[in-house]
Amino acid sequence: MKQTALSELGEFGLIDRLKEKLSAGNASTVRGIGDDCAVLAKNEHEYTLVSTDLLMEGIHFDLMYSPLKHLGYKAAMVNISDIYAMNGTPEHLTVSIAVSAKFTVEALEQLYEGINLACSRCGVDVVGGDTSSSVTGLAISITAIGSVAKTAVAYRSGAQENDLICVSGDLGASYMGLQILQREKHVFAQAGAQPKLAGYEYVLQRHLKPEARKDIIEQLKIAGITPTSMIDVSDGLSSELLHLCTQSKMGCKVYEEKIPISADVATVCKEFDITPLIAALHGGEDYELLFTVPLKDYNVVKKIPSVHAIGSVSARSAGAVLVSKAGEQIALQAQGWKQF
Ligand code: ADP
Ligand code: MG
């Protein structure tokens, strides 16, 4: 049988390929693989949402610069973010860890302090998990469980032609925070110099301690808006826009000048000679919400603080394009993921 290298398929190709080996037959499976959460039958009015993520030392985090408390907070928040990405309410987490003997009990308590802080901010209970030893570094696997009203669930697949595309917060900061951390780690390894982190607080915090956008979900609810589609930005705006377009069988047009990038990010980008737009499109780990709303909701959605309209949904035949400041149309590409 032909043996295929993982690099040939990439993450999404691999998931699609593995999915072919599975079959879903339960009537209670409303939506399986392919969205931010699985959607399961709960009761007459609600669905249960389930999402899981695995964080590996050396791949997703580096203990040289990730304090364990921050790491716990981030691990919980990134899972909770997937529940919000379905317009849901997170309720429970299970937390599984694999640890080597190099960790003390107190160090792991720090990890759990961070998990608890994230949970208490979002009204979530940790209800279980698993503990194992590890010979390959720390692994943290978290499953988030939540619920959503059937009438409010937001899939990646619901975008309609002419819908407005919105994103919360600003983009690219987490990636630039990571650049600073990697640079300072390198300088420390080479010269033993103390890391210079002052002045970079915003981007560092965005990388080390991201916030799931509970506030945006609450604001949308208050405004009476149910997004037609939604996803959280974990791999980068470009990749997530393509997910929304592919699954909704639509195209999109987003405008460079409308993409929110903070002044802090622009400053750090200059230092690294990185184009801010590239950090915003492909940086990832921002955990902002990208969603679409009917055009008629424009006047309501624009009043929500930190929501930015960046473009609109078009017919599939128009493709997924970015309109540059110069008016040039550039095809969006997914570059978010390069692990294998
Ligand atoms: P997110 O970035 O929102 O966490 P992912 O890109 O990790 O989503 O996953 C996309 C979809 O594929 C999700 O529905 C997820 O549950 C599913 N998935 C990912 N890895 C696997 C796997 N190994 N087996 C089955 N389903 C998977
Ligand atoms: Mg997601």
Side-chain angles (χ1 to χ4, degrees):
M1 206 187 359
K2 184 188 174 228
Q3 299 298 307
T4 312
L6 291 173
S7 56
E8 235 179 85
L9 293 183
E11 181 189 13
F12 303 126
L14 174 65
I15 296 169
D16 283 344
R17 174 87 172 254
L18 296 176
K19 201 165 105 176
E20 288 168 16
K21 296 276 170 223
L22 304 171
S23 54
N26 279 336
S28 55
T29 307
V30 179
R31 201 63 80 102
I33 296 168
D35 218 302
D36 292 289
C37 291
V39 180
L40 313 175
K42 181 177 178 182
N43 59 37
E44 198 188 332
H45 304 291
E46 290 171 300
Y47 293 130
T48 294
L49 301 170
V50 182
S51 176
T52 197
D53 266 300
L54 173 63
L55 298 184
M56 294 294 296
E57 182 178 350
I59 305 282
H60 301 100
F61 60 89
D62 185 331
L63 291 171
M64 275 283 284
Y65 50 67
S66 295
L68 280 165
K69 188 170 172 184
H70 286 55
L71 184 60
Y73 189 87
K74 180 170 179 172
M77 278 298 182
V78 305
N79 276 274
I80 289 169
S81 176
D82 277 323
I83 303 278
Y84 291 134
M86 305 297 293
N87 205 22
T89 306
E91 289 158 350
H92 306 104
L93 289 191
T94 62
V95 180
S96 301
I97 53 171
V99 284
S100 65
K102 76 176 178 188
F103 290 96
T104 62
V105 173
E106 287 72 18
L108 295 175
E109 280 179 336
Q110 286 287 308
L111 182 77
Y112 271 68
E113 262 185 43
I115 292 172
N116 190 52
L117 185 59
C119 285
S120 56
R121 289 206 174 153
C122 298
V124 172
D125 296 340
V126 175
V127 293
D130 196 13
T131 308
S132 166
S133 55
S134 164
V135 289
T136 54
L138 177 63
I140 309 168
S141 173
I142 295 189
T143 298
I145 302 152
S147 62
V148 63
K150 285 184 179 179
T151 51
V153 65
Y155 294 107
R156 294 177 179 181
S157 57
Q160 305 286 322
E161 195 169 346
N162 298 324
D163 279 355
L164 203 60
I165 302 173
C166 301
V167 70
S168 64
D170 57 76
L171 302 170
S174 175
Y175 181 72
M176 295 320 295
L178 178 62
Q179 302 313 303
I180 299 283
L181 291 166
Q182 286 179 338
R183 178 182 73 187
E184 295 306 312
K185 179 185 169 183
H186 185 71
V187 172
F188 179 74
Q190 298 284 306
Q194 277 311 302
K196 287 198 195 80
L197 302 176
Y200 300 116
E201 288 78 6
Y202 180 66
V203 294
L204 291 172
Q205 169 237 316
R206 292 279 283 162
H207 182 74
L208 292 172
K209 204 170 160 289
E211 304 291 344
R213 297 307 304 256
K214 176 178 193 248
D215 58 327
I216 299 293
I217 297 304
E218 287 168 352
Q219 290 294 322
L220 285 170
K221 196 169 180 189
I222 291 167
I225 295 176
T226 300
T228 49
S229 71
M230 185 147 60
I231 188 168
D232 65 335
V233 182
S234 52
D235 292 332
L237 179 65
S238 190
S239 174
E240 315 306 0
L241 279 167
L242 289 169
H243 281 311
L244 289 188
C245 286
T246 307
Q247 297 203 25
S248 299
K249 301 188 172 58
M250 289 286 152
C252 72
K253 196 182 257 193
V254 295
Y255 296 85
E256 177 183 2
E257 64 189 6
K258 306 243 157 117
I259 295 175
I261 298 172
S262 83
D264 294 78
V265 169
T267 307
V268 181
C269 280
K270 208 165 192 182
E271 232 182 287
F272 283 83
D273 204 15
I274 291 174
T275 310
L277 178 66
I278 298 297
L281 287 176
H282 304 299
E285 290 210 274
D286 295 306
Y287 298 103
E288 294 297 342
L289 292 170
L290 175 69
F291 57 94
T292 56
V293 297
L295 199 53
K296 68 169 172 53
D297 288 334
Y298 177 62
N299 284 325
V300 184
V301 87
K302 79 173 185 198
K303 291 196 193 114
I304 302 177
S306 88
V307 168
H308 311 270
I310 59 168
S312 60
V313 177
S314 44
R316 191 180 199 177
S317 55
V321 298
L322 172 83
V323 182
S324 75
K325 284 179 182 161
E328 200 187 344
Q329 298 208 6
I330 305 156
L332 285 170
Q333 284 177 348
Q335 280 184 9
W337 199 82
K338 3 177 162 49
Q339 269 177 39
F340 287 128

